[in-house]
Amino acid sequence: MTAARGNDAFGMVRDRMVEEQLARRGIRDPRVLTAMRLTARHLFVEEALWPRAYGDHPLPIGQGQTISQPYMVALMTQTLEVEPEDRILEIGTGSGYQAAILSMLAAKVFTIERHGALARRAREAFDALDIHNIAIRIGDGSIGWSSYAPYNGIIVTAASPDVPGPLLEQLSPEGGRLVIPVGGQSFQQLRVITRHGEKYDTRDDVGCTFVPLVGRHGWSEDGK
Ligand code: SAM
């Protein structure tokens, strides 16, 4: 894990967030708790929102998109069971916060965002925090990023009507894990898929609400 990147005025607020919103609700992985304690979440939202940056809720980040609730970021990260040597693919960079958390736990993070403005702002935040193990691409993440496959873990932070086939194909056959919200546009289940060779074990976890995955293997622009 890299050096602390939370040496700022919000350190105590972050400690409280980790204790009250995460540890007390069952987030147990010490590496996930440490990453959430050290990563300056406020730097991923506009300055006017800094006072609310550590609240127990999502926040707007522009383009009609959101940075997810801290608990959901922690839960999805814990569910992904990231190992230090892993290569992780994230679909839906948004603010870049989830990718920054993953970058503390994995060797390399690949992240895709369909909105260029959000991708550029996320890149600025990574640079400001001296994070150098994240590759970011602008485009449709529902088709994955085949040039760097296979991935030990794939995390989708937008809601999909079904599991995109290319993401299954790009999972490592040796225990690769996919975490993805699957369901309708207003409510989904967090689906967890583990690949062993050509066998895919699937389980549904908690209910959740994400903005839609818009793309070839997600929803269309008009919501169909
Ligand atoms: N992980 C983000 C964070 O930490 O801030 C939050 C992601 S936000 C809930 C979902 C993001 O997925 C939005 O930024 C949205 O533009 C993006 N998105 C939706 N469909 C996409 C697609 N097909 N490919 C890439 N990004 C997509």
Side-chain angles (χ1 to χ4, degrees):
M1 199 170 280
T2 51
R5 9 162 146 161
N7 192 12
D8 58 77
F10 289 91
M12 280 168 66
V13 186
R14 252 192 323 273
D15 286 349
R16 205 162 58 232
M17 171 192 87
V18 168
E19 178 51 36
E20 292 175 1
Q21 299 176 36
L22 311 184
R24 262 187 224 168
R25 284 191 193 139
I27 303 298
R28 293 274 175 265
D29 186 330
R31 295 177 71 233
V32 174
L33 293 172
T34 301
M36 301 279 299
R37 196 173 282 120
L38 294 182
T39 302
R41 178 173 163 94
H42 62 283
L43 297 181
F44 293 88
V45 297
E46 62 183 63
E47 200 165 343
L49 294 176
W50 284 10
R52 298 172 59 204
Y54 296 93
D56 190 16
H57 44 66
L59 283 170
I61 54 172
Q63 313 288 327
Q65 307 303 323
T66 52
I67 176 174
S68 304
Q69 176 197 27
Y71 174 72
M72 190 49 68
V73 174
L75 180 67
M76 290 177 83
T77 309
Q78 176 171 268
T79 305
L80 206 56
E81 296 177 23
V82 183
E83 298 290 343
E85 66 282 2
D86 280 357
R87 295 147 50 79
I88 303 293
L89 174 65
E90 180 198 28
I91 313 303
T93 316
S95 68
Y97 176 66
Q98 170 79 74
I101 296 290
L102 291 166
S103 78
M104 289 196 82
L105 306 174
K108 181 87 187 179
V109 177
F110 301 84
T111 182
I112 309 176
E113 170 57 52
R114 63 187 287 266
H115 289 292
L118 295 181
R120 283 187 284 278
R121 217 175 316 135
R123 167 54 61 205
E124 284 169 17
F126 301 150
D127 290 345
L129 288 168
D130 244 347
I131 300 173
H132 302 293
N133 61 340
I134 301 178
I136 184 165
R137 172 183 183 173
I138 300 167
D140 175 10
S142 75
I143 59 170
W145 194 343
S146 58
S147 22
Y148 295 101
Y151 302 97
N152 305 99
I154 301 179
I155 179 171
V156 182
T157 60
S160 187
D162 217 328
V163 180
L167 301 186
L168 292 173
E169 285 158 22
Q170 291 172 29
L171 264 188
S172 164
E174 284 141 29
R177 290 167 305 282
L178 169 63
V179 178
I180 177 171
V182 176
Q185 292 226 353
S186 47
F187 189 73
Q188 307 91 35
Q189 296 290 133
L190 204 58
R191 188 161 297 172
V192 185
I193 298 172
T194 309
R195 179 175 182 185
H196 301 285
E198 290 316 305
K199 190 166 158 286
Y200 294 85
D201 294 335
T202 301
R203 74 176 165 88
D204 278 345
D205 205 301
V206 297
C208 52
T209 302
F210 278 83
V211 295
L213 179 78
V214 177
R216 198 189 311 166
H217 297 273
W219 298 95
S220 60
E221 294 267 9
D222 59 8
K224 295 195 179 117

